[in-house]
């Protein structure tokens, strides 16, 4: 492979920008909607998000710092993940603004909310996919030395799934049709999915 740039993260990376979130990329965006104990709607994107289990389906996102989503989910035990499609990218970005807890990010971003079927937390009506979730665990991250880090991994069981019919083709979810936005590195790099990028491999038996 040739010459490598090596660094130990504790000593700094020595590059113009930290490469870690550009290397582990692109990542799905955790666009999380929730309700406060007082009923205030909250909507916030998280760049550390993924699916962790099939049965029961478990998804999770990590919050760097104790943000409103964490407080809301701890108080109500519910949240919704909303898929960010390309036409919602700017609204998603608007919902990332640092605002007081009593500000409704749905209104801030000009988004219509839709009621959920199983839980009370609202969905982003224009999103092509939403997962209604019940909170299962919150884990504060620690270093290898056991020191607490101000980052919290929130896990939830998916108890309801909404998929727009126009992103279902021949009985399967059509990732390209959903046009998801994925987080890259840098201060504002994002990616989408295209048919040209698709390839398939069969898992060995």
């Amino acid at each position: 492979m040739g010459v490598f740039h090596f660094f130990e993260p504790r000593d700094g990376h020595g590059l113009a920008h930290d490469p870690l979130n550009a290397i582990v990329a692109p990542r799905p965006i955790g666009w999380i909607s929730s309700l406060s104990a007082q009923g205030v709607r909250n909507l916030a994107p998280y760049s550390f998000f993924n699916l962790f289990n099939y049965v029961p389906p478990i998804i999770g996102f990590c919050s760097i710092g104790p943000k409103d989503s964490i407080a809301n989910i701890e108080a109500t035990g519910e949240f919704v993940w909303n898929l960010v499609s390309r036409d919602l990218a700017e609204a998603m970005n608007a919902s990332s603004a640092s605002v007081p807890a009593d500000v409704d990010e749905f209104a801030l971003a000009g988004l219509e909310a839709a009621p959920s079927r199983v839980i009370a937390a609202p969905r982003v009506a224009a999103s092509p996919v939403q997962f209604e979730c019940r909170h299962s665990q919150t884990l504060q991250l620690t270093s290898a030395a056991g020191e607490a880090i101000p980052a919290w991994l929130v896990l939830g069981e998916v108890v309801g799934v909404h998929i727009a019919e126009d992103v279902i083709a021949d009985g399967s979810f059509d990732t390209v049709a959903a046009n998801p936005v994925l987080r890259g590195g840098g201060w504002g790099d994002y990616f989408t999915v295209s048919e040209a990028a698709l390839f398939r491999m069969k898992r060995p038996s």
Side-chain angles (χ1 to χ4, degrees):
M1 292 292 294
V3 178
F4 284 81
H5 175 79
F6 172 79
F7 66 94
E8 296 183 51
R10 65 182 180 181
D11 299 326
H13 48 75
L15 299 172
H17 299 284
D18 191 333
L20 292 180
N21 64 350
I23 293 168
V24 186
R27 301 180 303 279
I29 297 170
W31 205 15
I32 305 299
S33 52
S34 61
L35 282 176
S36 72
Q38 294 74 37
V40 178
R41 299 183 303 190
N42 182 269
L43 180 64
Y46 293 86
S47 72
F48 297 132
F49 165 84
N50 223 308
L51 172 71
F52 292 100
N53 194 55
Y54 276 128
V55 182
I58 301 289
I59 63 170
F61 68 95
C62 190
S63 175
I64 310 301
K67 298 179 181 174
D68 295 334
S69 300
I70 301 290
N72 292 351
I73 294 166
E74 289 287 346
T76 65
E78 300 176 346
F79 66 93
V80 177
W81 171 73
N82 306 273
L83 186 148
V84 180
S85 55
R86 179 62 187 88
D87 59 337
L88 291 172
E90 285 70 26
M92 176 275 296
N93 193 46
S95 73
S96 71
S98 296
V99 294
D102 60 354
V103 173
D104 180 340
E105 285 90 354
F106 279 86
L108 180 69
L111 291 163
E112 180 184 349
S116 292
R117 294 277 294 274
V118 182
I119 65 173
R123 301 177 287 126
V124 174
S127 172
V129 181
Q130 308 102 25
F131 292 168
E132 299 182 28
C133 300
R134 288 204 174 102
H135 177 228
S136 57
Q137 290 175 275
T138 296
L139 307 171
Q140 184 172 8
L141 303 187
T142 65
S143 67
E147 298 171 345
I149 298 169
W152 287 265
L153 174 62
V154 179
L155 299 170
E157 179 179 345
V158 180
V159 295
V161 177
H162 303 258
I163 306 174
E165 290 187 357
D166 57 4
V167 295
I168 298 175
D170 299 323
S172 297
F173 176 71
D174 187 335
T175 304
V176 173
N179 203 13
V181 173
L182 309 170
R183 188 68 169 94
W187 61 268
D189 292 351
Y190 292 86
F191 296 85
T192 56
V193 176
S194 69
E195 195 70 41
L198 172 66
F199 70 96
R200 291 188 170 96
M201 291 191 294
K202 185 177 180 181
R203 181 181 298 180
S205 57

